[in-house]
Amino acid sequence: MRLTHLGGPTVLVEVDGWRILTDPTFDPPGRRYAFGWGTSSRKTAGPALAADEVGPVDVVLLSHDHHADNLDDAGRTALASAGVVVTTAAGARRLGNGALGLRAGEETVLSEPGKSSLTVRATPCRHGPPLSRPIVGPVVGFALRLGDQRRTALWMTGDTVLHGPLRRTADELDVDVALVHLGLVRFPITGPLRYSMDGKDAVELIAALEPRVAAPVHYEGWSHFSEPPAHLREAIAAAPPAVRERVVWLEPGAAREV
């Protein structure tokens, strides 16, 4: 598997002939985006590659369409040239154009000539504190299997806090490569409330999951991330070897074989 981190949550995944793009974000830095209910965030870093430099994309895995740090304007434009877009059920209704919508636990099977089939299963996310879903909206992660393999080739956690359904998913899945969304999202208007995982959560999740490789993503490039990247790296460095040795740090724009 080859991973190219483009910035934020956006990763180009190349595996078994499939070219898969996660949460497309290609806008330049500097703009502030409203997320609703008085929350907002400024994009502080641009993509390592522009959308037209990425090349053809077979599948877009879109954890949610309603927050610009997961789908910004240029990313939305790029959807038109992608093969299949898989997202939440609500997001598919909003996007139209053949987008496939999944709720947590549902799956779809994608096929293309000359490639192994790709089974995409939506996994649970809670993008905030308990009872926050009516405010933050639905979000899913994605677990991918190739052909008739039972092992999960890739798990993209999506934007989520560490909660019971996520822990149970980690216990259930046998994962090759995990993309772990972090950053400890917080907003001034909601004080200490957390909307995504931090380094401590990552250590706990990776310890339970035991993937071959875990790649932290979506922890930089936006002002609503409250955990500095240096703190995240310190948390991983201080983790037991069984966790620390699984972690791969992706350099933006550089393809990494894992």
Side-chain angles (χ1 to χ4, degrees), residues 195-228:
Y195 296 88
S196 66
M197 295 186 286
D198 64 4
K200 181 179 178 182
D201 297 326
V203 170
E204 181 179 340
L205 184 67
I206 294 167
L209 183 64
E210 297 184 333
R212 181 176 62 83
V213 169
V217 296
H218 207 25
Y219 59 86
E220 40 67 47
W222 290 81
S223 64
H224 63 332
F225 292 130
S226 68
E227 181 177 50

Side-chain angles (χ1 to χ4, degrees), residues 27-61:
D27 282 359
R31 178 178 163 190
R32 180 169 288 277
Y33 300 78
F35 289 166
W37 295 85
T39 62
S40 67
S41 183
R42 184 171 60 86
K43 190 170 187 179
T44 60
L49 297 174
D52 60 4
E53 296 177 302
V54 172
V57 171
D58 302 309
V59 182
V60 171
L61 302 178

Side-chain angles (χ1 to χ4, degrees), residues 127-246:
H127 196 6
L131 307 179
S132 63
R133 179 171 173 170
I135 297 174
V136 301
V139 181
V140 292
F142 297 102
L144 308 184
R145 299 193 314 275
L146 292 165
D148 58 1
Q149 296 181 10
R150 299 184 63 182
R151 183 173 175 84
T152 297
L154 178 80
W155 182 32
M156 166 190 165
T157 66
D159 290 7
T160 182
V161 295
L162 188 58
H163 66 304
L166 192 72
R167 289 185 174 94
R168 289 192 290 274
T169 300
D171 288 339
E172 294 166 2
L173 293 179
D174 181 14
V175 172
D176 192 27
V177 176
L179 299 178
V180 186
H181 288 211
L182 301 170
L184 187 57
V185 168
R186 284 179 171 154
F187 299 99
I189 196 171
T190 55
L193 296 181
R194 300 156 52 102
Y195 296 88
S196 66
M197 295 186 286
D198 64 4
K200 181 179 178 182
D201 297 326
V203 170
E204 181 179 340
L205 184 67
I206 294 167
L209 183 64
E210 297 184 333
R212 181 176 62 83
V213 169
V217 296
H218 207 25
Y219 59 86
E220 40 67 47
W222 290 81
S223 64
H224 63 332
F225 292 130
S226 68
E227 181 177 50
H231 289 188
L232 168 61
R233 288 181 177 267
E234 289 169 3
I236 298 298
V243 170
R244 184 177 67 247
E245 293 172 0
R246 300 176 192 273

